[in-house]
């Protein structure tokens, strides 16, 4: 356990947080982690001129090939819906940007790597050939979170990918400069969303709507693993880099000419040529801080009102599905009931009374798992974010952590304890 260096909050306030979430055992953990690292980072991003330029291309007059690589659970669906809309395509065209259509670049095999050999979908290659022939004087923009998993590995992989994306002129120079946009979201915020996404099965592809789990696990249906079990396995078995998204970030950074890191939490943006920041939504933040030279689109977005913030909402009834499965496996719900219908009945009962739903017993990660989650989140932030105000970032990171604990973001309802309660016993007897 790390030794506390002090954070400006007393041990008493830390204990209050632990007590509020019903995890008194976490008090020593919170006391020792109520600080952040000395080399913390700030919410304010560096200007585009300070991007990490890696000098594959030094020609200032070349256009940009901008790839937004996600990663997943950082608002990618919202961003992609907007940049592929006619409204924003028209604005981006005024900034001399062509957008690669979503169905071309977002499909999983658009870029694939097997044992160091890279392949590209035929449709993607055809689009790239057309761009190289007819749009070499335009900037190019494409977005796919899958690119964060399918990243160029090593010098040969980088050369192969750059050749397909950037092409070559007769003199051997590449047609565009490769600029990567990476959206940063704290790991302790994104992992619960990633867990949610993993178990959000049975969806219609055209609709971001959960269809419900229909079969019980003993009939071949999927079993939802509680978050505290899932996250401990992910962080404790050597897979942490996969879920910190660092491999993709580091590889694309090394293979690019420049990179922008867009802070998911930054709600203030400097307008083009402006000296005072203004309030912005996720898409405005992405365009203004991530896309080089998109000043017209940035100004347009900062004047727009009512752009949707969340296009891929999380599903919030997994806890009740896990309760339904437990009740079924302990004989409280017969196999005659469809799993999805039983879950809906449980949801209706639990939410019909505010006191009932807010007082359900919960199961949460233990101190060891929370330690892992905190440390990996900390390492991810230190690696990716660029700092101008270390003190403020120290406050922001720990404030977000405490808020997550207070909101019980890492907890699920405890079905074993719930079914012991008299009102729930009566519910199951009368309803199933």
């Amino acid at each position: 356990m790390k030794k506390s260096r002090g954070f400006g909050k007393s041990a008493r306030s830390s204990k209050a947080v632990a007590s509020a979430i019903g995890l008194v055992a976490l008090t020593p953990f919170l006391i020792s982690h109520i600080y952040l690292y000395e080399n913390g980072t700030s919410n304010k991003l560096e200007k585009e001129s300070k991007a990490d330029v890696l000098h594959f291309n030094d020609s200032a007059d070349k256009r940009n090939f901008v790839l937004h690589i996600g990663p997943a659970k950082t608002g990618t669906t919202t961003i992609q819906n907007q940049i592929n809309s006619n409204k924003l395509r028209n604005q981006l065209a005024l900034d001399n940007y062509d957008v690669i259509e979503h169905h071309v670049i977002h499909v999983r095999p658009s870029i694939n790597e097997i044992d160091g050999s890279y392949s590209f979908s035929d449709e993607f290659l055809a689009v790239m050939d057309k761009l190289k022939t007819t749009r070499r004087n335009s900037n190019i923009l494409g977005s796919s979170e899958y690119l964060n998993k399918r990243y160029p590995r090593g010098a040969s992989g980088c050369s192969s990918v750059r050749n397909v994306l950037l092409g070559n002129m007769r003199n051997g120079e590449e047609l565009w400069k490769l600029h990567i946009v990476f959206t940063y979201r704290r790991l302790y915020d994104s992992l619960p969303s990633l867990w949610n996404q993993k178990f959000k099965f049975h969806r219609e592809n055209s609709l971001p709507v959960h269809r419900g789990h229909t079969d019980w696990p003993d009939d071949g249906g999927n079993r939802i693993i509680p978050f505290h079990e899932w996250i401990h396995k992910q962080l404790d078995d050597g897979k942490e880099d996969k879920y910190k998204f660092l491999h993709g970030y580091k590889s694309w950074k090394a293979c690019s000419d420049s990179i922008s890191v867009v802070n998911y939490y930054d709600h203030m943006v400097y307008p083009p040529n402006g000296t005072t920041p203004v309030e912005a939504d996720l898409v405005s933040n992405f365009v203004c801080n991530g896309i080089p030279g998109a000043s017209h689109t940035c100004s347009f977005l900062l004047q727009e009102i009512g752009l949707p913030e969340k296009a891929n909402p999380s599903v919030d009834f997994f806890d009740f599905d896990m309760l339904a499965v437990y009740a079924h496996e302990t004989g409280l719900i017969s196999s005659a009931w469809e799993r999805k219908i039983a879950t809906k009945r449980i949801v209706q009962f639990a939410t019909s009374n505010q006191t009932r739903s807010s007082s359900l017993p919960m199961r949460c990660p233990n101190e060891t798992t929370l330690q892992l989650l905190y440390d990996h989140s900390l390492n991810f932030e230190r690696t990716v974010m660029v700092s101008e105000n270390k003190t403020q970032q120290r406050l922001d990171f720990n404030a977000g952590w405490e808020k997550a604990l207070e909101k019980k973001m890492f907890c699920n309802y405890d079905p074993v304890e719930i079914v012991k309660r008299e009102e729930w016993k009566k519910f199951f007897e009368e309803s199933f």
Side-chain angles (χ1 to χ4, degrees), residues 23 39 68 90 177 198 206-207 220 237 241 250 259 271 288 300 314 325 341 352 359 365 400 431:
L23 295 172
N39 296 319
H68 173 222
N90 292 337
K177 295 179 291 184
K198 177 177 177 61
S206 60
L207 297 172
D237 66 359
D241 278 333
K250 290 179 178 179
I259 186 169
C288 297
F300 170 81
S314 297
V325 169
I341 302 301
S352 63
S359 63
S431 301

Side-chain angles (χ1 to χ4, degrees), residues 13-24:
S13 67
S14 299
K15 290 179 181 178
V17 173
S19 178
I21 64 173
L23 295 172
V24 178

Side-chain angles (χ1 to χ4, degrees), residues 231-247:
I231 189 61
H232 184 84
K233 184 177 186 298
Q234 301 308 322
L235 297 178
D236 199 38
D237 66 359
K239 293 182 179 179
E240 66 269 19
D241 278 333
K242 176 181 179 181
Y243 290 98
K244 284 189 299 183
F245 314 112
L246 281 180
H247 282 320

Side-chain angles (χ1 to χ4, degrees), residues 28-143:
F29 170 78
L30 290 172
I31 293 173
S32 65
H33 283 83
I34 206 68
Y35 65 89
L36 190 61
Y37 47 91
E38 293 180 351
N39 296 319
T41 57
S42 70
N43 273 349
K44 185 176 179 182
L45 296 174
E46 292 196 342
K47 294 291 185 180
E48 179 188 314
S49 60
K50 294 183 180 180
D52 191 357
V53 180
L54 303 178
H55 305 295
F56 280 97
N57 275 312
D58 290 324
S59 177
D61 59 349
K62 284 184 181 178
R63 305 298 184 185
N64 290 295
F65 194 114
V66 179
L67 276 185
H68 173 222
I69 63 170
K73 314 316 297 181
T74 59
T76 51
T77 302
T78 297
I79 290 170
Q80 289 158 2
N81 285 348
Q82 290 301 310
I83 65 174
N84 282 277
S85 68
N86 290 333
K87 179 184 289 187
L88 237 61
R89 278 177 173 270
N90 292 337
Q91 298 301 321
L92 286 163
L94 297 176
D95 288 315
N96 197 26
Y97 269 94
D98 282 4
V99 179
I100 301 177
E101 291 188 26
H102 185 66
H103 73 274
V104 173
I105 193 169
H106 190 256
V107 292
R108 294 175 187 266
S110 56
I111 298 179
N112 197 23
E113 185 268 339
I114 301 177
D115 296 329
S117 177
Y118 288 81
S119 62
F120 303 81
S121 69
D122 291 340
E123 186 175 21
F124 185 82
L125 289 172
V127 168
M128 290 310 307
D129 287 343
K130 183 176 181 180
L131 289 173
K132 292 170 189 176
T133 302
T134 64
R135 307 302 296 172
R136 60 175 57 191
N137 292 321
S138 298
N139 298 300
I140 309 299
L141 171 63
S143 173

